[in-house]
Amino acid sequence: MKLRHLFSPVHAIRDFVAFARARQKHEWWFLLASICVVLVIGWAFVHDSYFERAYKPNIIYFESWPANRSDEEIIAQQQIDLAKERAEAAEFERERAKRQAEWKKIDDKLNSWGI
């Protein structure tokens, strides 16, 4: 027997029709209800997963200095920039430590529950 005779669309349709004729009316209503429930849950997941990301422009400014600056002026500006950079790094570390403490508190609570 050839393989295409086993998977014929005509046989599939006949089989489905025979199956459908053996079903009661209430079984079709339950089928429709179950399909609707699955579609509603799927729609809810798709609808909930969409969100617009806030647009944040990434503008980088740079300073323009005269070409005849002295080395002392350059070093002084570098010291100012270094102080700003260290302050930003310290602020970032404080925020990171704060978030880490919050998550540790949650982890300790879950550990106390045995999770």
Side-chain angles (χ1 to χ4, degrees):
M1 183 176 243
K2 293 184 179 180
L3 190 60
R4 67 177 177 201
H5 290 295
L6 291 175
F7 300 108
S8 170
V10 174
H11 291 287
I13 292 171
R14 285 183 190 160
D15 186 40
F16 177 73
V17 168
F19 174 79
R21 285 184 180 155
R23 300 295 108 200
Q24 302 271 334
K25 186 176 181 179
H26 70 278
E27 291 176 315
W28 287 107
W29 286 111
F30 278 111
L31 174 67
L32 180 65
S34 63
I35 289 172
C36 289
V37 167
V38 170
L39 290 177
V40 166
I41 291 172
W43 174 83
F45 275 110
V46 169
H47 181 70
D48 188 49
S49 68
Y50 176 75
F51 62 94
E52 288 190 26
R53 296 178 186 220
Y55 174 71
K56 294 181 182 177
N58 186 16
I59 301 172
I60 300 173
Y61 297 98
F62 63 93
E63 295 182 32
S64 179
W65 296 284
N68 57 359
R69 292 190 302 158
S70 67
D71 287 342
E72 293 79 22
E73 291 174 338
I74 294 172
I75 292 171
Q77 185 62 45
Q78 286 176 343
Q79 293 300 323
I80 294 169
D81 293 343
L82 182 62
K84 287 180 185 177
E85 186 178 325
R86 285 182 179 165
E88 289 174 0
E91 178 65 26
F92 176 77
E93 280 300 316
R94 277 194 297 275
E95 290 294 324
R96 189 186 66 76
K98 181 181 173 184
R99 281 192 309 273
Q100 187 176 9
E102 290 171 357
W103 284 109
K104 175 130 177 59
K105 184 178 176 183
I106 293 171
D107 185 43
D108 291 343
K109 189 70 168 180
L110 290 174
N111 284 339
S112 70
W113 292 345
I115 297 176

